[in-house]
Amino acid sequence: MAERDVEREYSVTDFAAKLRRLADALEAGKPFRIQIAGERFTVPRNAQVSVEHERGDDEEEVEFQLKWSLADADEAAAEEADDTEV
């Protein structure tokens, strides 16, 4: 899989909706499916969650981060496919 580093801005309404869906998935112990800048992927239920704060001379930044191994993502995608089969 090719390396990727993308940042995308969202309206407050869209960002809040994504956070709500993410929070619901985390609380339910389920994987989270999201699309960012045209690429759709699955965040596995066991992703590491952290909050990062950075401060520079003239700005501050807060990042909500989710990290996981590619093997965990493949497993989550397979679980998701099993759940959707009829």
Side-chain angles (χ1 to χ4, degrees), residues 3 14 25 32-33 37 56-57 66 71 81 86:
E3 287 192 27
D14 289 345
F32 176 70
R33 191 103 168 113
D57 291 335
L66 298 125
V86 177

Side-chain angles (χ1 to χ4, degrees), residues 37-64:
E39 185 173 327
R40 184 173 298 278
F41 55 93
T42 301
V43 178
R45 65 175 174 236
N46 63 343
Q48 296 175 348
V49 180
S50 64
V51 179
E52 182 177 321
H53 175 242
E54 297 177 22
R55 179 179 295 138
D57 291 335
D58 60 351
E59 67 181 13
E60 292 190 59
E61 181 177 331
V62 173
E63 292 181 12
F64 296 89

Side-chain angles (χ1 to χ4, degrees), residues 1 42 44 68-76:
M1 191 175 295
T42 301
W68 61 92
S69 72
L70 293 178
D72 287 343
D74 291 342
E75 183 178 313

Side-chain angles (χ1 to χ4, degrees), residues 4-53:
R4 185 173 192 233
D5 188 3
V6 178
E7 185 171 327
R8 170 95 195 274
E9 291 189 17
Y10 291 94
S11 69
V12 171
T13 301
D14 289 345
F15 182 68
K18 288 183 186 300
L19 284 177
R20 282 187 193 94
R21 287 192 321 105
L22 172 61
D24 289 346
L26 290 171
E27 286 181 337
K30 295 183 176 181
F32 176 70
R33 191 103 168 113
I34 187 169
Q35 181 172 329
I36 300 174
E39 185 173 327
R40 184 173 298 278
F41 55 93
T42 301
V43 178
R45 65 175 174 236
N46 63 343
Q48 296 175 348
V49 180
S50 64
V51 179
E52 182 177 321
H53 175 242

